[in-house]
């Protein structure tokens, strides 16, 4: 059996790159980025491997990592892989109930935690759990509970690995590792029901790396990567592992809300993100255009029009742009596009993978028009992330690209996308019935997503489970309407209501800052946010914008009534998953009164 690729990856890269920086993380006390060399990374991995053995961690035992993005997450992952242990990541924002469920379900004895919130939750869970033996704390700033005599800090845990007495055992385990070993169990947060543990074996990652080597030809050890999404998310996790195989420099963003600052400090060449990041950029640019006037405004509008003509109308369709248009495009590239990229912090951009939710046509066209190489893809936890992606010189707006090499795709009932290949999970942890219901005997995985192929490109239409049926028997795809609306600069979040109802309605969380500015500019007096959102002028503003945005939908798909909410949907209220997807059932309960009001005769 050949050694699993990830078990020795960091050591091999240290031999190749030595003292060159592998990682960087931000020291918030000093306000500087601290580099970690490949040699240091490999040293940490070795120590964590020996410390895990010293603690009694067995072959294929599950260990938990409950933290926001930190270098320690990667040290722990690769330290575990080297001794054939399995890592189970938990979202940094997970609730006590979610952590309790995962720790019990995966029989986790050792749980690594990031900062105070994660420690506090884990310590409370430990009192209720039969399995949890020890909590290991990454951040030295965490204050332990006075009664806690058992938890230890990461630095003290590593000391157990300083002695080489467990080195022989570590080497034996690594030599016995193989692609058939389980690498991770990733619990999907799910918009309905309890989370389920997706098993990803080393063979899944190895197949994903081989496929991406064929497609992502421009990624190299010269790339600087910003890690923005949580490592717990399969998209960031698989991408990060892949970037490490390429020798890229990984810059780890600790707090997602700091990305506007950290991206400017790092100025990365690549970063994977969800569409929400680009929606914010789009809204920001259009705000600037709306505030501008005269020549400046017309230049900005012309730059967007020129970029659209050059990159979408001509290049995307395999045609050469006319010389005059190309000259104009090059002028805007040196001026307006360059200023925009510098303002975001991505003027060194190579490419930017984007997935995790539907990307609206407007956003995609805008990003490509200004010369940002957004790579739109589609994937699931169960497929080790990527199923398909559109490449820089081979994409179609509105599509999620072409399937990666080695992955078979066909369509089942209701145009459901079925997949088969080495990157597909072998099943759900301890859930044989669920595994059998979603993976056929001959290996076809039922994604639950509907779509179609055109000219070799995959297009998603809707989530089969998410289809709403109105009381008139018409089917509505809520995500299509929601994706269209969140592009608007006055709209932050939206949830469509239609199932078993006679018409479509919506709960809308406005972009409060924009609405308040609109009121100020028009001298609309109000006492508080709730009062502001009930003003006839504000309701008329939203009605106008919604009517404009939904013109392309059939009459029965269009929003007839809406409610503006004074508070955003939140994880605290259970309304969003850890990956910020809307939990429709919870919204139905939390806003039952507001919803019923929209359907009163």
């Amino acid at each position: 059996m050949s050694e699993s690729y990830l078990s020795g990856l960091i050591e091999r890269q240290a031999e190749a790159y030595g003292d060159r920086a592998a990682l960087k993380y931000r020291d918030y006390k000093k306000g500087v980025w601290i580099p970690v060399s490949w040699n240091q990374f490999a040293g940490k991995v070795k120590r964590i491997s020996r410390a895990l053995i010293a603690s009694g961690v067995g072959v294929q035992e599950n260990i938990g990592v409950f933290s926001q993005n930190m270098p320690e997450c990667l040290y722990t992952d690769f330290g575990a892989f080297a001794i054939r242990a399995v890592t189970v990541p938990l979202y940094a924002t997970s609730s006590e109930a979610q952590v309790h469920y995962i720790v019990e379900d995966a029989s986790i004895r050792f749980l690594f935690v990031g900062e105070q919130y994660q420690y506090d939750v884990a310590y409370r869970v430990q009192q209720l759990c039969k399995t949890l033996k020890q909590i290991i704390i990454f951040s030295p700033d965490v204050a332990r509970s006075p009664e806690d005599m058992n938890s230890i800090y990461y630095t003290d845990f590593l000391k157990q690995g300083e002695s080489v007495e467990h080195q022989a055992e570590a080497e034996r385990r690594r030599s016995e590792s193989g692609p058939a070993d389980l690498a991770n169990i990733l619990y999907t947060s799910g918009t309905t029901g309890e989370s389920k543990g997706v098993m990803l074996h080393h063979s899944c990652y190895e197949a994903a790396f081989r496929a991406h080597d064929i497609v992502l030809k421009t990624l190299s050890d010269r790339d600087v990567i910003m890690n923005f999404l949580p490592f717990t998310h399969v998209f960031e996790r698989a991408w990060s592992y892949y970037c490490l195989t390429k020798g890229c420099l990984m810059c780890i963003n600790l707090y997602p809300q700091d990305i506007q600052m950290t991206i400017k400090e790092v100025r990365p060449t690549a970063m994977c993100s969800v569409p929400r990041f680009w929606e914010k950029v789009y809204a920001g640019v259009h705000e600037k255009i709306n505030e501008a006037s005269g020549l400046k405004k017309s230049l900005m509008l012309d730059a967007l029009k020129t970029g659209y003509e050059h990159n979408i109308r001509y290049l995307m369709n395999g045609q050469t742009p006319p010389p005059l248009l190309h000259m104009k495009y090059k002028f805007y590239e040196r001026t307006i596009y360059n200023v925009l990229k510098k303002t975001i912090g991505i003027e060194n951009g190579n490419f930017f993978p984007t997935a995790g939710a539907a990307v609206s046509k407007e956003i995609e066209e805008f990003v490509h028009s200004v010369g940002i190489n957004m790579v739109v893809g589609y994937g699931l936890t169960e497929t080790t992330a990527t199923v398909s992606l559109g490449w820089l010189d081979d994409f179609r707006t509105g599509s999620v690209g072409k399937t990666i090499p080695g992955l078979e795709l066909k369509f089942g009932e209701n145009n459901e996308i079925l997949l088969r290949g080495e990157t597909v999970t072998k099943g759900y942890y301890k859930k044989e019935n669920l595994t059998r219901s979603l993976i056929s005997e001959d290996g076809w995985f039922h994604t639950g997503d509907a779509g179609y192929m055109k000219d070799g490109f995959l297009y998603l239409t809707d989530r089969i489970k998410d289809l709403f049926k109105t009381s008139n028997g018409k089917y509505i795809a809520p995500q299509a309407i929601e994706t269209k609306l969140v592009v608007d600069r006055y709209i932050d979040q939206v949830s469509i209501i239609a199932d078993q109802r006679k018409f479509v309605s919506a709960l809308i969380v406005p972009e409060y800052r924009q609405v308040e500015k609109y009121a100020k500019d028009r001298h609309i007096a109000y006492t508080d946010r709730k009062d502001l959102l009930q003003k006839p002028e504000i309701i008329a503003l939203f009605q106008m914008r919604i009517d404009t945005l939904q013109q392309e939908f059939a009459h029965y798909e269009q929003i007839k009534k809406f409610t503006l909410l004074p508070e955003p949907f939140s994880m605290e209220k259970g309304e969003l998953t850890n990956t910020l997807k809307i939990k429709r059932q919870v919204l139905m309960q939390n806003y039952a009164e507001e919803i019923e009001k929209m359907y009163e005769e």
Side-chain angles (χ1 to χ4, degrees):
M1 182 161 85
S2 63
E3 180 185 293
S4 71
Y5 182 75
L6 289 174
S7 65
L9 173 69
I10 307 305
E11 197 177 317
R12 290 194 304 275
Q13 295 292 57
E15 285 165 12
Y17 294 111
D19 290 329
R20 182 174 158 167
L23 311 171
K24 269 189 183 178
Y25 64 93
R26 194 178 197 280
D27 182 324
Y28 273 77
K29 288 181 185 135
K30 296 176 186 163
V32 293
W33 286 79
I34 311 284
V36 177
S37 73
W38 283 101
N39 280 337
Q40 288 170 318
F41 192 173
K44 283 276 198 325
V45 166
K46 270 191 175 150
R47 277 204 296 285
I48 191 83
S49 289
R50 293 195 293 255
L52 289 168
I53 290 172
S55 301
V57 171
V59 169
Q60 294 288 270
E61 179 174 339
N62 300 331
I63 61 172
V65 181
F66 177 28
S67 172
Q68 61 279 76
N69 290 0
M70 292 174 146
E72 288 81 0
C73 298
L74 294 173
Y75 305 154
T76 305
D77 263 351
F78 286 94
F81 295 156
I83 61 154
R84 303 183 67 198
V86 181
T87 56
V88 182
L90 292 87
Y91 283 98
T93 49
S94 296
S95 68
E96 198 172 318
Q98 288 168 323
V99 174
H100 190 175
Y101 173 79
I102 292 171
V103 166
E104 292 257 297
D105 192 60
S107 307
I108 289 169
R109 293 195 303 146
F110 296 93
L111 181 62
F112 293 81
V113 300
E115 295 191 317
Q116 196 68 49
Y117 171 77
Q118 292 91 25
Y119 166 75
D120 291 343
V121 170
Y123 185 63
R124 288 197 300 272
V125 165
Q126 192 174 24
Q127 319 306 308
L128 310 165
C129 257
K130 297 182 288 291
T131 53
L132 189 52
K133 182 182 168 187
Q134 191 169 48
I135 296 166
I136 300 111
I137 307 161
F138 289 156
S139 171
D141 299 332
V142 168
R144 286 189 308 187
S145 165
E147 299 86 57
D148 184 1
M149 299 297 156
N150 187 33
S151 301
I152 60 170
Y153 291 97
Y154 196 66
T155 45
D156 295 326
F157 184 75
L158 283 179
K159 283 176 187 158
Q160 299 176 42
E162 279 174 6
S163 147
V164 293
E165 64 175 300
H166 298 292
Q167 187 58 34
E169 171 65 5
E171 283 168 14
R172 184 183 68 78
R173 287 202 199 177
R174 183 176 142 185
S175 70
E176 289 173 0
S177 69
D181 282 348
L182 186 57
N184 295 134
I185 303 170
L186 301 187
Y187 281 82
T188 59
S189 44
T191 51
T192 56
E194 68 179 27
S195 52
K196 48 192 188 287
V198 177
M199 296 189 288
L200 293 183
H201 289 72
H202 283 271
S203 57
C204 296
Y205 285 113
E206 290 171 23
F209 299 157
R210 287 194 296 273
H212 285 76
D213 276 344
I214 297 166
V215 189
L216 300 185
K217 292 195 170 66
T218 68
L219 189 70
S220 74
D221 59 11
R222 291 185 300 279
D223 277 291
V224 177
I225 314 297
M226 174 60 100
N227 296 122
F228 160 48
L229 298 180
F231 286 139
T232 308
H233 196 299
V234 70
F235 186 21
E236 185 71 72
R237 173 166 291 262
W239 161 252
S240 298
Y241 290 174
Y242 183 63
C243 290
L244 290 170
T245 73
K246 291 293 177 191
C248 305
L249 170 62
M250 313 277 279
C251 301
I252 300 170
N253 181 69
L254 182 67
Y255 304 116
Q257 67 271 21
D258 288 348
I259 189 62
Q260 309 287 351
M261 170 183 77
T262 56
I263 198 170
K264 290 186 187 76
E265 293 174 342
V266 165
R267 305 207 169 255
T269 63
M271 173 182 88
C272 72
S273 70
V274 287
R276 194 78 193 109
F277 177 83
W278 298 109
E279 285 163 11
K280 295 269 187 199
V281 170
Y282 174 90
V285 168
H286 281 270
E287 195 180 332
K288 288 264 189 301
I289 292 172
N290 286 322
E291 285 167 1
S293 57
L295 181 64
K296 190 180 177 185
K297 185 169 188 165
S298 52
L299 272 173
M300 286 164 92
L301 288 168
D302 191 55
L304 290 183
K305 185 168 172 279
T306 302
Y308 176 83
E309 293 279 315
H310 188 275
N311 293 343
I312 308 286
R313 272 199 54 193
Y314 283 94
L315 293 184
M316 186 182 88
N317 294 307
Q319 296 169 356
T320 306
L324 203 62
L325 177 67
H326 185 64
M327 266 170 60
K328 208 169 161 189
Y329 178 79
K330 283 291 172 194
F331 165 72
Y332 284 134
E333 198 173 47
R334 289 191 304 274
T335 54
I336 289 177
Y337 307 151
N338 196 38
V339 169
L340 167 64
K341 290 176 196 172
K342 266 193 176 140
T343 307
I344 306 167
I346 57 167
E347 71 274 20
N348 304 324
N350 179 357
F351 65 94
F352 297 92
T354 304
V359 183
S360 77
K361 200 162 180 274
E362 288 87 346
I363 300 293
E364 204 179 346
E365 286 177 351
F366 158 74
V367 172
H368 280 296
S369 295
V370 298
I372 296 168
N373 290 327
M374 176 202 268
V375 175
V376 174
Y378 161 61
L380 302 103
T381 308
E382 289 89 343
T383 57
T384 323
T386 319
V387 167
S388 62
L389 70 158
W391 195 230
L392 312 177
D393 53 358
D394 195 19
F395 71 95
R396 295 286 180 275
T397 54
S399 111
V400 288
K402 295 178 175 177
T403 48
I404 59 167
L407 190 64
E408 296 176 80
L409 181 149
K410 69 176 183 180
F411 297 97
E413 207 178 324
N414 300 320
N415 298 321
E416 184 180 13
I417 297 164
L418 308 181
L419 301 165
R420 184 167 69 177
E422 284 184 86
T423 55
V424 175
T425 179
K426 292 179 172 52
Y428 300 96
Y429 189 66
K430 292 184 182 170
K431 285 187 166 42
E432 287 82 7
N433 290 343
L434 181 64
T435 300
R436 276 197 296 274
S437 71
L438 291 177
I439 303 173
S440 67
E441 276 184 31
D442 55 351
W444 288 100
F445 167 62
H446 290 248
T447 63
D449 291 314
Y452 64 91
M453 278 281 192
K454 186 182 174 191
D455 304 328
F457 290 89
L458 177 63
Y459 292 80
L460 301 180
T461 49
D462 43 63
R463 184 98 189 118
I464 290 167
K465 288 197 287 257
D466 263 3
L467 274 187
F468 289 164
K469 191 179 187 181
T470 65
S471 54
N472 307 322
K474 300 280 191 187
Y475 280 99
I476 309 284
Q479 285 174 325
I481 307 169
E482 289 161 356
T483 304
K484 193 77 184 164
L485 292 188
V486 290
V487 164
D488 191 274
R489 65 196 172 104
Y490 286 100
I491 297 174
D492 185 28
Q493 296 168 310
V494 60
S495 180
I496 293 298
I497 314 293
D499 209 26
Q500 304 305 314
R501 303 284 187 172
K502 54 191 173 197
F503 59 80
V504 179
S505 68
L507 295 172
I508 293 174
V509 174
E511 189 65 72
Y512 303 120
R513 204 168 48 90
Q514 292 286 357
V515 179
E516 284 156 11
K517 185 178 179 297
Y518 182 87
K520 189 184 169 194
D521 292 348
R522 282 154 187 79
H523 310 293
I524 300 167
Y526 61 94
T527 52
D528 57 17
R529 193 181 279 170
K530 193 174 176 188
D531 178 44
L532 170 64
L533 298 180
Q534 288 170 352
K535 294 284 175 191
E537 303 96 317
I538 300 300
I539 292 166
L541 165 73
F542 278 87
Q543 189 67 62
M544 177 193 74
R545 300 188 84 84
I546 290 165
D547 288 345
T548 307
L549 289 164
Q550 63 180 4
Q551 284 171 358
E552 67 183 61
F553 294 111
H555 188 67
Y556 65 85
E557 293 174 305
Q558 292 181 1
I559 296 162
K560 304 291 183 287
K561 288 190 181 177
F562 60 89
T563 300
L564 302 177
L565 301 173
E567 283 184 14
F569 304 142
S570 72
M571 276 194 268
E572 291 71 35
K573 290 182 285 185
E575 295 161 350
L576 301 174
T577 69
N578 285 308
T579 54
L580 303 183
K581 291 189 177 80
I582 287 168
K583 290 186 176 180
R584 298 189 192 277
Q585 295 312 109
V586 179
L587 289 185
M588 296 296 280
Q589 289 161 12
N590 290 4
Y591 297 99
E593 206 177 305
E594 289 86 345
I595 292 166
E596 290 314 318
K597 211 167 171 190
M598 292 191 283
Y599 291 96
E600 282 172 5
E601 288 301 331

